Amino acid sequence: MTQTSDLPAARAASPDGEAVRRRRRVHRAWFVAAVAFVTIIGAAAFRSLPGLLIDALHQEFGWSRGTIGLAVSINLALYGLTAPFAAALMDRYGIRRVVAVALTVIAAGSGLTVWMTAPWQLLLCWGLLVGLGTGSMALAFAATVTNRWFTERRGLVTGILTAAAASGQLIFLPLLSWIVQEHQWRPAAVTVALAALAVVPFVWLLLRDHPADVGTAPYGSKEFVPKPPPVPGAARRTLGVLFSAARTGPFWLLAGTFAICGASTNGLVQTHFVPAAHDHGMPITAAASLLAVIGVFDVVGTIASGWFTDRFDARRLLAVYYALRGISLLFLPMLLAPSVHPPMIFFIVFYGLDWVATVPPTIALCREHYGDDSAIVFGWVLASHQVGAAVVAFAGGLARDVFGTYDVVWYASGALCAAAALMALVIRRGGAGARVGAAAA
């Protein structure tokens, strides 16, 4: 007797099921990827807003930039610390449920800020709620969709979903900056909440956890793949891999360099570039547009870095990337001015190409040293990235309160990038990529 759970496999394996798949012009996996793309674009809305709120909240409530930066730092830290467990949550409860709940939590956190009157409410709404929501649909979302729904074109799909974040930044940064400038910050916060809620129906109606849910095989696969059972022990394995990797030197060097990467990108430029440029008389809309352009060149730089990583030593690539980034940050205080001029445009293009160029070689080094557990190890390395971003998001606002300028932050970040370049060079070559979590599995 054929069980109900075997019916999708039977239909897929039958001649009629094969004929149906041949007649279908577009594989269901591409619809799932499209929903993921739209979701990540919507996510760019709440990733774009914090840097636009610092001056607005400071002027209305009189809160220090350090206090506002603390909320952003909590957001960034939770984004990173939640990410390693996001894949475990999706394995246990399904992609659709986790992403839908995450978007709802983000909408609640952003929407509730319009009624806040005290700093602790900012820390709760924007720091805790939005941080947990964004962390639950971080890189694990794109990686899980790609791994489950595609056996071919994985690199292409990963690149497209990565580009979605930059595309969303390009869309939302100018829009949100215009709203903040013309209509104050509350309509911008409501816009972010509505953008998150608008994606929920698409996720719930169109996204599916696994190809087996709709009786089809993954894109590029000739065989039907049964849906795996929920994995309640995934979180325990995630922690086990962390404890094993933490006993090796390369993990701390990778985590340290990536923490500096986060400090010099999300924590510094994404959070403080707009208010720093505004300090020099540049309109918020112009500064936000420059930040959006960084996202465009970010896509180009990341794809090129992947190409380089296949051909050159990943350690030397990291050293070059961090050294060039540090040099560019040392020059930035001299480039800030009331208007956009050619040297500033050169900085934006140069810095944009280097923004996340560090990701492909970092992933390659994780794979070289940690083999089958490299994805989980990279999740923890990503957590260090966000912790570094969180520290500088707070420290940058505090430094602006104390010194009245951001200059010391740019110089300090340049020095940190130089240290990261040296750390990258001393990472030893990996062996066969031993499974560090074997003892914990």
Side-chain angles (χ1 to χ4, degrees):
M1 180 176 179
T2 303
Q3 297 181 357
T4 303
S5 60
D6 294 333
L7 289 178
R11 287 199 301 268
S14 68
D16 292 340
E18 184 69 25
V20 169
R21 289 204 309 275
R22 287 176 179 173
R23 289 197 299 269
R24 186 177 298 159
R25 293 181 179 275
V26 180
H27 194 282
R28 181 63 179 267
W30 293 109
F31 289 101
V32 173
V35 173
F37 184 87
V38 172
T39 303
I40 295 172
I41 285 182
F46 41 79
R47 302 302 306 162
S48 302
L49 190 58
L52 304 177
L53 293 181
I54 293 178
D55 283 336
L57 295 178
H58 175 71
Q59 292 171 7
E60 177 170 339
F61 296 106
W63 299 339
S64 70
R65 290 176 174 82
T67 298
I68 301 168
L70 178 60
V72 178
S73 70
I74 293 174
N75 178 296
L76 293 171
L78 286 176
Y79 175 91
L81 294 173
T82 305
F85 298 95
L89 289 172
M90 292 178 186
D91 286 339
R92 181 67 179 88
Y93 299 105
I95 302 174
R96 183 170 60 164
R97 291 180 181 179
V98 172
V99 173
V101 170
L103 288 167
T104 304
V105 170
I106 291 163
S110 182
L112 289 173
T113 58
V114 301
W115 290 290
M116 66 183 178
T117 56
W120 68 267
Q121 295 165 342
L122 177 66
L123 301 180
L124 174 65
C125 293
W126 199 262
L128 180 64
L129 293 179
V130 177
L132 288 174
T134 54
S136 298
M137 49 178 293
L139 290 180
F141 175 44
T144 303
V145 168
T146 303
N147 290 341
R148 289 187 181 182
W149 282 90
F150 293 84
T151 58
E152 295 182 356
R153 308 289 179 87
R154 281 180 173 176
L156 173 63
V157 175
T158 301
I160 291 173
L161 296 182
T162 302
S167 301
Q169 181 171 291
L170 180 63
I171 293 170
F172 282 106
L173 262 175
L175 172 63
L176 293 175
S177 65
W178 177 82
I179 293 174
V180 170
Q181 183 167 298
E182 298 295 329
H183 303 286
Q184 302 301 318
W185 64 271
R186 286 181 176 84
V190 172
T191 300
V192 170
L194 293 177
L197 285 178
V199 180
V200 173
F202 291 95
V203 170
W204 194 255
L205 295 175
L206 300 177
L207 191 63
R208 290 295 181 269
D209 295 330
H210 196 277
D213 291 339
V214 292
T216 189
Y219 179 84
S221 175
K222 297 180 180 179
E223 298 181 358
F224 183 82
V225 179
K227 183 177 181 178
V231 186
R236 183 173 63 252
R237 179 179 172 233
T238 302
L239 290 173
V241 170
L242 169 64
F243 295 144
S244 298
R247 294 196 290 267
T248 65
F251 173 79
W252 292 106
L253 290 170
L254 289 169
T257 55
F258 222 45
I260 293 173
C261 178
S264 56
T265 52
N266 299 74
L268 180 63
V269 174
Q270 188 173 52
T271 304
H272 294 293
F273 177 80
V274 171
H278 190 56
D279 282 348
H280 288 77
M282 184 180 293
I284 291 178
T285 51
S289 297
L290 290 176
L291 198 57
V293 172
I294 286 178
V296 177
F297 288 95
D298 165 24
V299 176
V300 178
T302 305
I303 294 174
S305 178
W307 188 87
F308 288 140
T309 302
D310 290 334
R311 291 160 176 80
F312 301 102
D313 187 342
R315 301 172 304 161
R316 294 182 180 180
L317 286 176
L318 282 180
V320 171
Y321 294 156
Y322 285 120
L324 294 177
R325 182 185 299 177
I327 292 172
S328 67
L329 290 173
L330 292 176
F331 279 97
L332 181 57
M334 296 179 281
L335 302 179
L336 293 170
S339 60
V340 180
H341 49 89
M344 173 57 77
I345 294 175
F346 177 80
F347 168 82
I348 293 298
V349 173
F350 185 86
Y351 188 86
L353 292 172
D354 201 329
W355 179 276
V356 290
T358 55
V359 172
T362 300
I363 292 177
L365 287 170
C366 286
R367 187 183 305 116
E368 179 181 333
H369 284 276
Y370 303 108
D372 292 339
D373 291 317
S374 61
I376 298 177
V377 173
F378 177 71
W380 287 111
V381 172
L382 175 65
S384 73
H385 180 282
Q386 295 305 115
V387 170
V391 170
V392 172
F394 170 68
L398 185 63
R400 173 62 176 78
D401 291 332
V402 173
F403 300 106
T405 177
Y406 282 102
D407 288 358
V408 65
V409 184
W410 306 122
Y411 295 138
S413 295
L416 283 175
C417 288
L422 294 176
M423 292 167 64
L425 288 176
V426 299
I427 297 174
R428 63 176 174 81
R429 290 188 177 276
R435 181 183 172 85
V436 299

